[in-house]
Amino acid sequence: MAPSTLPTATALDTARLVLGVLLPTIAKGPIIRRPKVVGLFSRLELDSRSMDIVRDVHSRYPAGPLMLKLPIRKQAIALAPEDANTVLAQSPEPFSPASSEKKAALSHFQPHNVLISRGPVRTVRRALQEQVLDTGHPVHHLADTFVPVVEEEMQQLLAEAVRSGSLPWDDFLDAWYRVVRRVVFGDHARDDKELTAMIIRLRRDGNWAFLKPVRRKTRERFLQRIGEELATAEPGSLAAVMAGARKGEGAEPIHQVPQWLFAFDPAGMATFRALCVLATHPEALADARREVDEDTSGRRLLPYLRASVLESLRLWPTTPMILRQSTRPVQWEDGLMPEDCGVLVYAPYFHRDERSLRSAHNFAPDRWLTEEDDGWPLVPFSDGPVVCPGKQLVLLLTSAALAALVDGHDFAVEKGQALDPARPLPGTMDNYSVHLGVTPRA
């Protein structure tokens, strides 16, 4: 008797998911955001509509991952929380993060990165990443070097903002890129905007995945620059840790570094968005400042501010589509998933489910300090064995940045996204349009 197949969406419901969820999310830019598209989504509340579509489809197909009726691609979407948790818990086997779409996108700038690797070589590359990023520790062993870098750049940013009277996103991003270059390569790279410009250009191509040829000469020049940095690594940088780390066969250290430059970019977005929310939520800001005032860790451990970054990522995931691909046929309770089947976990649907989450559409950082949502797929850094290896380092740097910003200055949203603590927060956060007013605290 042949095994039953998983439930399959009708052509109409498949079209609703593709046209109302997948394509709009891709349009915003999966590898680097397209600001004008994000602004359009914000004005039309398209992300909220996408969540509504997923909710409606889930009500029609409550059992098992749902197969989509596509002509050239085997594709499923995990709609139930237990199915999403299963996919993430059973990665990288049989649910590999190296999906066809992800490989096509990331190959534009890091073709041998751990994220798009499989088998034994993936194990080697993951082990190298975890060594360098101190994956298992909330405080990186170079925190005493990194945190002062964050504070120095944020103080300079604040001084310029006070002089001009405004802090727009672009100014924050420039300061954040300086932090990233100094943390990854050392102080000498602080103003190396050319290196940042190269990866931005390649990431924009990555948005088109299969549809745009790889700029091989630009990629080669970019990776050559990474190799030069590793060869002359500055002490106290991630590059120096990478240069001195144990490396297995096939580790390809040069190809592991670009992911840091890539991942730290959305980390900056999450920091600025959290700052915007704190600026408009007096009670949360008071809690944040209380933590900073009472901190004895030297801004290495700031639970509430780390939770604020996580809450920003919950509300507005910088990786809304978590992609996996089955490496073999997988038997589910409700049917068989074929080999080489794409699996989508659409994070916003789970992150904003008001039926199951308290204050689903409000800023509630304390949820990350309790166990009330344990078992629910809140996955700002993915989850399971392939959880982002840089999660703790990102939280260290972003919380230190928020601490430096809110400690001695007041902020007000003068232009851009409206964030009202008395109302549900919007489904899309257009950080590109925001200008914050900045004044020193009395």
Side-chain angles (χ1 to χ4, degrees), residues 114 121-143 146 237-253 256-257 260 385 387-393:
V114 61
V121 73
R122 186 195 182 281
T123 302
V124 170
R125 293 169 183 174
R126 174 74 187 199
L128 179 59
Q129 288 274 3
E130 292 185 357
Q131 274 188 76
V132 178
L133 299 173
D134 255 1
T135 298
H137 301 94
V139 178
H140 193 279
H141 68 272
L142 289 179
F146 294 162
S237 67
L238 288 178
V241 182
M242 174 67 89
R246 300 182 305 277
K247 303 173 186 69
E249 185 177 353
E252 297 275 12
Q256 309 317 310
V257 174
W260 306 341
V387 66
C388 173
K391 173 181 176 178
Q392 296 297 343
L393 179 56

Side-chain angles (χ1 to χ4, degrees), residues 62-129:
L66 179 67
M67 297 294 297
L68 304 186
K69 189 171 287 187
L70 299 174
I72 59 173
R73 171 69 166 154
K74 293 177 285 187
Q75 180 67 49
I77 180 171
L79 297 172
E82 58 270 21
D83 293 341
N85 285 332
T86 296
V87 169
L88 298 176
Q90 296 184 22
S91 299
E93 291 291 339
F95 300 108
S96 172
S99 70
S100 301
E101 300 85 357
K102 194 183 297 182
K103 289 174 69 174
L106 297 186
S107 289
H108 281 270
F109 56 95
Q110 51 183 30
H112 303 296
N113 185 265
V114 61
L115 280 176
I116 49 177
S117 303
R118 291 187 178 185
V121 73
R122 186 195 182 281
T123 302
V124 170
R125 293 169 183 174
R126 174 74 187 199
L128 179 59
Q129 288 274 3

Side-chain angles (χ1 to χ4, degrees), residues 85-412:
N85 285 332
T86 296
V87 169
L88 298 176
Q90 296 184 22
S91 299
E93 291 291 339
F95 300 108
S96 172
S99 70
S100 301
E101 300 85 357
K102 194 183 297 182
K103 289 174 69 174
L106 297 186
S107 289
H108 281 270
F109 56 95
Q110 51 183 30
H112 303 296
N113 185 265
V114 61
L115 280 176
I116 49 177
S117 303
R118 291 187 178 185
V121 73
R122 186 195 182 281
T123 302
V124 170
R125 293 169 183 174
R126 174 74 187 199
L128 179 59
Q129 288 274 3
E130 292 185 357
Q131 274 188 76
V132 178
L133 299 173
D134 255 1
T135 298
H137 301 94
V139 178
H140 193 279
H141 68 272
L142 289 179
D144 288 345
T145 300
F146 294 162
V147 170
V149 165
V150 175
E151 293 177 330
E152 181 182 324
E153 294 297 346
M154 292 303 106
Q155 291 305 325
Q156 179 171 326
L157 172 67
L158 287 167
E160 294 170 353
V162 169
R163 281 196 297 271
S164 67
S166 177
L167 173 56
W169 160 250
D170 286 344
D171 288 358
F172 177 85
L173 184 60
D174 283 344
W176 185 252
Y177 279 147
R178 293 195 295 270
V179 169
V180 172
R181 289 191 293 265
R182 292 177 69 182
V183 165
V184 175
F185 299 121
D187 292 343
H188 75 277
R190 178 182 187 270
D191 298 313
D192 191 351
K193 294 185 178 181
E194 181 186 2
L195 188 60
T196 301
M198 276 196 283
I199 191 171
I200 289 174
R201 188 178 309 123
L202 293 170
R203 287 172 61 200
R204 285 175 176 158
D205 290 347
N207 274 345
W208 296 95
F210 308 97
L211 301 178
K212 193 163 189 177
V214 173
R215 297 178 194 256
R216 296 189 180 277
K217 290 184 178 179
T218 303
R219 185 178 70 182
E220 182 180 347
R221 190 165 67 251
F222 170 67
L223 293 173
Q224 182 179 348
R225 283 291 313 278
I226 300 293
E228 292 167 356
E229 290 288 349
L230 292 180
T232 59
E234 183 176 313
S237 67
L238 288 178
V241 182
M242 174 67 89
R246 300 182 305 277
K247 303 173 186 69
E249 185 177 353
E252 297 275 12
I254 290 172
H255 288 261
Q256 309 317 310
V257 174
Q259 181 63 24
W260 306 341
L261 302 176
F262 168 27
F264 278 131
D265 186 350
M269 187 184 303
T271 306
F272 189 75
R273 288 171 169 177
L275 178 63
C276 292
V277 179
L278 290 172
T280 54
H281 288 61
E283 292 184 7
L285 179 60
D287 288 340
R289 284 176 169 163
R290 189 177 303 112
E291 177 172 82
V292 173
D293 291 342
E294 297 173 356
D295 175 49
T296 59
S297 72
R299 295 182 181 173
R300 276 62 169 169
L301 281 172
L302 296 164
Y304 187 82
L305 285 174
R306 289 184 181 220
S308 296
V309 175
L310 288 167
E311 187 69 348
S312 166
L313 288 166
R314 179 190 71 83
L315 289 162
W316 304 292
T318 53
T319 305
M321 294 195 302
I322 299 175
L323 303 179
R324 297 289 185 265
Q325 189 161 315
S326 59
T327 59
R328 57 173 172 79
V330 180
Q331 184 64 54
W332 293 79
E333 182 178 348
D334 297 294
L336 186 70
M337 177 180 288
E339 184 178 358
D340 286 331
C341 179
V343 187
L344 168 64
V345 176
Y346 184 60
Y349 174 58
F350 299 106
H351 287 194
R352 292 286 195 117
D353 190 339
E354 68 269 14
R355 300 166 300 179
S356 303
L357 293 177
R358 173 186 58 85
S359 303
H361 301 294
N362 300 102
F363 188 68
D366 56 293
R367 78 172 70 251
W368 298 96
L369 306 176
T370 70
E371 298 179 357
E372 66 176 288
D373 295 324
D374 279 7
W376 190 260
L378 298 180
V379 287
F381 289 91
S382 188
D383 204 359
V386 299
V387 66
C388 173
K391 173 181 176 178
Q392 296 297 343
L393 179 56
V394 165
L395 293 175
L396 170 73
L397 301 179
T398 54
S399 61
L402 285 175
L405 292 166
V406 305
D407 186 22
H409 291 78
D410 289 315
F411 299 86

